[in-house]
Amino acid sequence: MSGQKTVTPSAESLAASIKATKTRGLPPVETWNPPFCGDIDMEIRRDGTWFYEGTPIGRQGLVKLFASILIREEDDYFLVTPVEKVGIRVADAPFVAVDFEASGEGTAQRLTFTTNLEDITVAGEDAPLRFVRDPDSGEPSPYVRVRRNLEALIDRKSFYRLVDLGVHHDGWFGVWSGGAFFGIIPSEDLPAED
């Protein structure tokens, strides 16, 4: 035995570790390479609610703190600090885009999204919009990249507003933002107008 004390990761130890780093803005998680310490009982539900050990985390500041150290590797999500990396469950996307503002017109249009955790992102080349259609119903699930490779599910009311801004381009119905066109659905798949 090495004499080193084994520590079981918890929400409290993660919060204490990240607070000790005292960074301004988002912590530089991409520069950290801590050892994997296992999974903790933390989950982000589809509506953006964070749960720890089956109980919703009610303190928005704590949720924002955890969100600041969230990373995604392929389809797995982790909270990382300089000394530990723990797995968590994410039902769909870790954030929910709850609103957006449109400015400009045509190819110069900019769509600025706000998430449930007050992250702001402008859709474009570095923050693409993505639309996944359910193979059975055809119903789309819209996403926008928020930071790193983390996405926000765009809520229903915002998606309907996006559709209202939609135009046809190169055989697709979609929206422009930041000089990029994002196709929502092939134009031929839209129902004919009466």
Side-chain angles (χ1 to χ4, degrees):
M1 196 141 188
S2 67
Q4 187 175 19
K5 182 179 176 187
T6 303
V7 177
T8 302
S10 68
E12 295 79 14
S13 70
L14 287 166
S17 182
I18 194 60
K19 285 178 183 176
T21 63
K22 295 183 175 131
T23 60
R24 289 189 95 121
L26 290 173
V29 296
E30 56 280 344
T31 65
W32 298 340
N33 191 22
F36 179 66
C37 300
D39 295 327
I40 63 171
D41 186 8
M42 189 174 287
E43 176 183 14
I44 306 171
R45 304 256 172 102
R46 192 168 201 266
D47 68 357
T49 304
W50 288 59
F51 283 76
Y52 179 60
E53 296 183 342
T55 303
I57 301 173
R59 292 179 37 212
Q60 186 77 341
L62 189 57
V63 170
K64 286 182 178 182
L65 182 70
F66 289 138
S68 75
I69 60 169
L70 180 66
I71 64 169
R72 178 180 175 188
E73 295 176 355
E74 296 179 16
D75 291 330
D76 297 319
Y77 292 86
F78 303 92
L79 298 178
V80 295
T81 71
V83 296
E84 58 191 341
K85 173 180 178 180
V86 297
I88 68 167
R89 296 180 311 280
V90 177
D92 189 348
F95 307 108
V96 177
V98 295
D99 200 7
F100 77 91
E101 291 182 14
S103 61
E105 294 182 7
T107 59
Q109 179 172 262
R110 287 173 45 100
L111 303 174
T112 304
F113 290 85
T114 303
T115 73
N116 57 319
L117 298 180
E118 301 172 352
D119 289 290
I120 307 288
T121 190
V122 177
E125 292 285 331
D126 294 332
L129 294 169
R130 181 172 71 93
F131 302 90
V132 178
R133 289 176 69 185
D134 181 279
D136 297 323
S137 69
E139 184 77 21
S141 290
Y143 301 89
V144 62
R145 184 177 305 150
V146 176
R147 63 174 177 262
R148 301 177 187 116
N149 61 344
L150 301 173
E151 292 181 313
L153 174 66
I154 299 170
D155 72 1
R156 188 169 298 277
K157 70 176 174 12
S158 298
F159 177 63
Y160 288 150
R161 290 178 49 223
L162 274 181
V163 169
D164 286 342
L165 296 173
V167 295
H168 294 275
H169 177 72
D170 287 342
W172 281 83
F173 177 79
V175 293
W176 287 94
S177 184
F181 182 78
F182 300 100
I184 297 172
I185 187 171
S187 296
E188 66 186 23
D189 289 354
L190 286 174
E193 294 183 18
D194 293 332

